[in-house]
């Protein structure tokens, strides 16, 4: 590009992460990437990247800085790159940890084998080109595979308040997938703590699975523009593997609430009028522009598992309610169950999946899941009677229901490989057929005289039988 063709602007205002720029020649389109070089020719030379968010008039834009704005001043020259923010794609990103600008942050040197740099703002796959097959995506986690089966190529939300185990569940799924999943994994950390990113990187390296994984982070301490764009950058990489290399992609996003929160911060910086509970008025559009890009084609799929923080455990909060509408499965984590040590703390009555249909999962799975939920619901109703009158006042039938429910609650707990250093227990991966067999035996009343603790933190039902035998031998 000739120097005369370069579209230059001048900084007029700087307020926090917001930069107002005047362009004499032409106005850059929305989402254009602008650059501003400060302290040029000195050891402190730094490039500030700005994304265009608003057109104020025929010559002026308002943008949000993707990098820290320290050092930028009125009168500084800004260059229009004539394109959006870009991210590198290719096999060279596998095994690497990068940021929203595609720069490595793992101290392993520059990226190799990069095919191209692609814009992060892309249109979703048209409806006519999407796959309509319904396939189950097994995780090896009993409570999820039984009660909320995941859809291959679908979107799953892990809902829960702080400390309920969302990140642990996501890291366990990543750990479980590598042995049984033939595809590429992509972890997107939106507003992640640096501790969580470092731990995840170390775990994957130790497990020897880093070469099939890409990690992209917009960290908690970075500007809101970074946190708001890192998920789109991750999706651009996922779309490359799906569309160009025809590989299935497992996309983990932690945390969707922080994406919404970053969007709210950007809207506030732009001076836009807030909507319900202080969220941005464009909340629905922001989420849809992200979620609609997660889709399957006949050649390959993007399967997404997303952690969703629920503020104050209020599921009517607009961020949680809006996210629900895009998902094929919702896994709700219960603080009450977590406080009782029942991990994973999956609430069997609040969680749901559109895949739990006899035509998709089969009649046996459907019947067992239905019976488990019914038993849990009856137990929930009986809790008030037990607290007021006592367990002994229940009928024999109700007492049997309570025993079965307590056994099922504990049978659906499971030791995780990613928490071994906390619990000292080896992680267990349980096949769906073994989970169904165990639940069928409990529901049949086979273990009514057995303590529910025999079923706590085990894999398949054979381990419970060993616990029962050990206890009998001791007696």
């Amino acid at each position: 590009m000739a120097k005369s063709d370069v579209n230059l602007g001048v900084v007029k205002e700087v307020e926090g992460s917001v930069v107002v720029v005047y362009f004499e020649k032409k106005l850059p389109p929305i989402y254009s990437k602008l650059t501003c070089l400060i302290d040029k020719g000195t050891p402190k030379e730094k490039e500030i990247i700005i994304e265009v968010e608003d057109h104020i008039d025929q010559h002026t834009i308002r943008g949000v800085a993707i990098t820290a704005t320290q050092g930028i001043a009125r009168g500084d020259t800004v260059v229009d790159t004539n394109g959006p923010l870009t991210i590198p794609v290719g096999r060279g990103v596998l095994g690497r940890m990068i940021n929203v600008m595609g720069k490595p942050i793992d101290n392993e040197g520059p990226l190799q084998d990069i095919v191209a740099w692609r814009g992060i703002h892309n249109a979703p796959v048209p409806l006519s080109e999407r796959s309509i097959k319904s396939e189950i995506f097994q995780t090896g986690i009993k409570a999820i595979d039984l009660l909320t089966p995941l859809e291959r190529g679908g979107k799953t939300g892990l809902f829960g308040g702080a400390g309920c185990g969302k990140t642990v569940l996501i890291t366990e799924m990543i750990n479980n997938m590598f042995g049984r999943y033939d595809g590429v994994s992509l972890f997107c950390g939106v507003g992640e703590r640096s501790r969580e990113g470092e731990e995840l990187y170390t775990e994957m390296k130790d497990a020897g699975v880093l070469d099939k994984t890409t990690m992209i982070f917009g960290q908690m301490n970075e500007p809101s523009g970074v946190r708001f764009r890192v998920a789109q950058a991750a999706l651009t990489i996922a779309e490359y593997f799906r569309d160009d290399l025809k590989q299935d992609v497992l996309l983990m996003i932690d945390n969707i609430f922080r994406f919404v929160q970053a969007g709210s911060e950007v809207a506030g910086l732009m001076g836009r009028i807030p909507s319900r509970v202080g969220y941005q008025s464009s909340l629905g559009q922001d989420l849809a522009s992200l979620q609609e890009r997660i889709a399957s084609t006949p050649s390959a799929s993007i399967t997404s598992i997303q952690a969703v923080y629920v503020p104050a455990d209020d599921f009517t909060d607009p961020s949680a309610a809006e996210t629900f509408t895009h998902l094929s499965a919702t896994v709700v984590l219960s603080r009450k169950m977590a406080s009782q040590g029942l991990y994973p703390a999956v609430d069997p009555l609040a969680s749901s999946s559109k895949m739990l249909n006899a035509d998709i999962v089969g009649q046996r799975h459907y019947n067992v899941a239905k019976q488990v939920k019914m038993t849990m619901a009856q137990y929930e109703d009986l809790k008030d009677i037990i607290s007021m009158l006592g367990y002994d006042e229940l009928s024999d039938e109700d007492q049997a229901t309570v025993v079965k429910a307590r056994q099922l609650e504990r049978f659906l707990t499971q030791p995780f490989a990613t928490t071994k250093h906390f619990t000292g227990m080896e992680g267990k991966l349980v096949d769906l057929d073994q989970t169904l067999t165990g639940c069928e035996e409990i529901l049949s009343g086979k273990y009514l005289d057995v303590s529910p603790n025999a079923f706590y933190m085990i894999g398949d039902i054979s381990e419970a039988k060993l616990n029962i035998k050990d206890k009998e031998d001791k007696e």
Side-chain angles (χ1 to χ4, degrees), residues 42-56:
T42 72
K44 293 182 180 179
E45 181 176 295
K46 184 174 74 169
E47 186 181 57
I48 291 173
I49 297 172
I50 302 160
E51 185 180 61
V52 178
E53 290 288 337
D54 274 343
H55 288 164
I56 299 174

Side-chain angles (χ1 to χ4, degrees), residues 36 53 57 69 79 81 88 102-103 132 162 169 172 182 203 212 261 274 303 327 361 389-390 425-426 443 466 471:
C36 177
E53 290 288 337
D57 58 38
T69 54
V79 179
T81 63
K103 294 179 180 175
I132 56 172
L169 205 49
E172 183 67 12
D182 183 26
E203 281 171 13
K212 290 179 73 177
Q261 198 173 40
T303 302
L327 305 173
V361 299
L389 302 176
M425 290 186 278
E426 290 288 340
L443 288 165
L466 285 173
K471 190 178 177 184

Side-chain angles (χ1 to χ4, degrees), residues 43 48 133 166 348 373-374 449 470:
I48 291 173
K133 286 192 297 183
K166 298 181 297 299
K373 287 196 172 195
M374 195 182 297
D449 55 345
D470 287 346

Side-chain angles (χ1 to χ4, degrees), residues 388-454:
M388 287 187 291
L389 302 176
Y391 174 76
D392 293 333
E393 296 301 314
L394 297 178
S395 66
D396 291 345
E397 187 181 340
D398 286 344
Q399 285 186 2
T401 298
V402 170
V403 172
K404 289 177 194 175
R406 286 174 176 168
Q407 289 173 344
L408 286 168
E409 263 186 347
R410 283 152 183 79
F411 178 63
L412 292 177
T413 62
Q414 192 168 338
F416 284 172
T418 51
T419 57
K420 184 187 172 184
H421 52 293
F422 293 121
T423 63
M425 290 186 278
E426 290 288 340
K428 300 287 171 64
L429 201 65
V430 185
D431 189 71
L432 175 61
D433 191 61
Q434 295 172 328
T435 302
L436 294 176
T437 300
C439 290
E440 283 170 339
E441 290 186 10
I442 291 170
L443 288 165
S444 69
K446 184 177 179 180
Y447 305 107
L448 284 178
D449 55 345
V450 175
S451 167
N453 291 331

Side-chain angles (χ1 to χ4, degrees), residues 199-218:
E199 284 175 359
L200 185 65
Y201 182 81
T202 305
E203 281 171 13
M204 289 189 173
K205 202 169 186 178
D206 292 345
V209 294
L210 196 59
D211 61 332
K212 290 179 73 177
T213 308
T214 297
M215 283 177 274
I216 178 166
F217 285 93

Side-chain angles (χ1 to χ4, degrees), residues 238-257:
E239 286 164 346
Y240 168 78
F241 284 107
R242 179 193 66 191
D243 301 334
D244 293 50
L245 300 187
K246 311 299 182 191
Q247 281 188 283
D248 286 343
V249 181
L250 178 62
L251 173 64
M252 307 283 193
I253 304 177
D254 188 9
N255 184 303
I256 285 293
F257 173 76

